[in-house]
Amino acid sequence: MARSPRTPSSPAASTTAGPLFEAEVSTPRARIGLVPVALVGALVAAGLWGAWVTKNVLGAGDRPAIAKVQLSGIVGEYVQAQARSATPPEQVTTETRAFMGEVQKNLERRGASGQIVLVGEAVLAGNVPDITAEVRREVYAKVKMPQAANASTGEVMGAMRAAMSGQGASQAAAAMPGAAIGGQGSAPVN
């Protein structure tokens, strides 16, 4: 015999019996899936990365991204100072190598920090900041500029310095015996 399903005999009995109305029924737990946690983590990581990039881009404002330097002017200035100094030739070679090495290191540091440095002669047009003075100052802070020799070191150099400084032609002529004033001493006399 088959049993028939149980039907409540009264409406009061239906509110107390059954799994929906039992006092011991546990509330379902709220479970957060792995996908929402991963999405929140990715958003936080993207926000931190964006803040870091913004800080680095805005923080690099003290140095222009692209700049030019007049290397020929800096090197020419140093070579002229070495030529005017009374430094022995072997020391000139050593000092010049140190100077050129420091220029190279300075430009490499700038490149490593993300700055593009162009040689000034290669820049034809445009608004590219010139950092020649800044490079010159940084290099000469590490490598000493050669000092000019004393005027008494050579008669010719002393006479040239006297003539260039405007101390008068008589002092230049006294420093170079046999030289005439005005450059007419070797001209034939008629």
Side-chain angles (χ1 to χ4, degrees), residues 30-48:
R31 292 186 120 191
I32 298 177
L34 192 57
V35 173
V37 171
L39 286 175
V40 169
L43 286 174
V44 169
L48 290 173

Side-chain angles (χ1 to χ4, degrees), residues 16-29:
T16 59
L20 292 177
F21 298 104
E22 291 178 0
E24 296 179 13
V25 174
S26 63
T27 58
R29 288 186 178 165

Side-chain angles (χ1 to χ4, degrees), residues 132-156:
T132 304
E134 185 178 340
V135 171
R136 179 182 291 125
R137 183 181 65 248
E138 290 173 2
V139 168
Y140 286 138
K142 295 183 179 185
V143 177
K144 188 179 93 171
M145 174 68 119
Q147 298 300 316
N150 295 334
S152 62
T153 304
E155 292 178 3
V156 175

Side-chain angles (χ1 to χ4, degrees), residues 3 9 12 27 34 42 55 62 83 91 124-126 137 154 157 160 162 175:
R3 288 186 155 177
S9 60
T27 58
L34 192 57
K55 179 186 147 241
D62 57 342
Q91 188 177 351
L124 299 176
R137 183 181 65 248
M157 289 300 290
M160 288 179 68

Side-chain angles (χ1 to χ4, degrees), residues 11 63 66 83-84 104 143 147 171:
R63 280 194 169 176
I66 299 176
R84 292 181 184 134
Q104 181 70 25
V143 177
Q147 298 300 316
Q171 289 181 352

Side-chain angles (χ1 to χ4, degrees), residues 13-102:
S14 67
T15 58
T16 59
L20 292 177
F21 298 104
E22 291 178 0
E24 296 179 13
V25 174
S26 63
T27 58
R29 288 186 178 165
R31 292 186 120 191
I32 298 177
L34 192 57
V35 173
V37 171
L39 286 175
V40 169
L43 286 174
V44 169
L48 290 173
W49 178 77
W52 177 78
V53 168
T54 303
K55 179 186 147 241
N56 284 339
V57 168
L58 295 178
D62 57 342
R63 280 194 169 176
I66 299 176
K68 69 178 178 177
V69 64
Q70 300 290 337
L71 283 179
S72 63
I74 294 173
V75 172
E77 175 185 69
Y78 184 82
V79 168
Q80 285 181 357
Q82 279 289 14
R84 292 181 184 134
S85 70
T87 310
E90 52 278 345
Q91 188 177 351
V92 167
T93 303
T94 305
E95 290 176 356
T96 303
R97 281 190 183 137
F99 172 78
M100 295 302 287
E102 187 56 40

